[in-house]
Amino acid sequence: MTILNIFLNKNQRANRGHFANIVKIAKVDGKLTRREIVLLKKIKRDLGISDIIFRSIVRHPERYPINPPTNYEDRITRLHTLAKMLIVEKESYELSLKLLEKLAVGIGFPLRTHKEVVKLAVKLVMSHTDVSTFAAEIKKINIHKD
């Protein structure tokens, strides 16, 4: 196996884990709405996930590990995507928020700040903040040691 194949396989696993996290938020109430499916298909394309893997993840997201990013910038970007999915899931907002808090810890945000980070992330996403502003604001409240 070449180094490129190893990188691609690791990157594909990370994308699948990230996508599975998004699906978990979307399915927190046990079903997917039309808006959620549209967003999931857009994210699927952005992450380069095949139709077969898409169907597998949607059916069984628990089979895919979180694979937290090691890079702080990637953590913030991943949090942004997860928070966007939460906003679509209005019917079960409180349950989705709890899941997002758990996923924030899973992707590497510290326990001491994760709830504050998630609260701000949701507020920023609801106000349609772009990713760079989102990152700057999250960094202000989240002291990290990478």
Side-chain angles (χ1 to χ4, degrees):
M1 193 177 259
T2 68
I3 291 180
L4 179 59
N5 286 340
I6 292 169
F7 173 75
L8 288 175
N9 289 338
K10 182 179 178 184
N11 193 41
Q12 288 170 344
R13 282 192 310 271
N15 283 351
R16 290 173 184 175
H18 178 47
F19 186 70
N21 291 337
I22 295 166
V23 171
K24 288 172 192 171
I25 289 175
K27 290 180 77 173
V28 76
D29 62 353
K31 63 186 185 305
L32 292 174
T33 66
R34 189 175 303 216
R35 286 183 62 202
E36 290 166 342
I37 292 168
V38 168
L39 180 57
L40 289 172
K41 287 181 177 180
K42 180 193 178 310
I43 295 169
K44 168 190 114 36
R45 281 189 304 274
D46 293 347
L47 294 176
I49 293 173
S50 72
D51 290 338
I52 292 170
I53 297 299
F54 173 82
R55 285 190 294 278
S56 173
I57 292 171
V58 167
R59 286 185 186 119
H60 303 286
E62 70 283 352
R63 292 183 181 170
Y64 295 84
I66 289 177
N67 294 319
T70 55
N71 177 297
Y72 186 61
E73 299 297 323
D74 291 342
R75 274 186 214 133
I76 291 174
T77 302
R78 192 168 291 184
L79 177 66
H80 183 259
T81 307
L82 292 167
K84 281 176 67 174
M85 189 69 227
L86 171 76
I87 301 311
V88 173
E89 186 60 52
K90 291 183 191 233
E91 294 84 32
S92 55
Y93 178 82
E94 289 300 318
L95 193 53
S96 294
L97 190 61
K98 291 291 181 200
L99 180 58
L100 184 57
E101 288 174 357
K102 289 179 183 180
L103 291 171
V105 172
I107 63 173
F109 286 94
L111 280 171
R112 68 187 177 332
T113 60
H114 79 284
K115 287 185 179 185
E116 188 177 359
V117 165
V118 166
K119 184 178 176 182
L120 179 60
V122 170
K123 178 182 171 189
L124 292 170
V125 166
M126 289 179 92
S127 65
H128 304 289
T129 304
D130 63 89
V131 178
S132 60
T133 304
F134 180 91
E137 293 299 315
I138 294 296
K139 287 177 185 177
K140 285 180 188 176
I141 66 160
N142 186 60
I143 309 222
H144 68 287
K145 306 244 189 273
D146 275 349

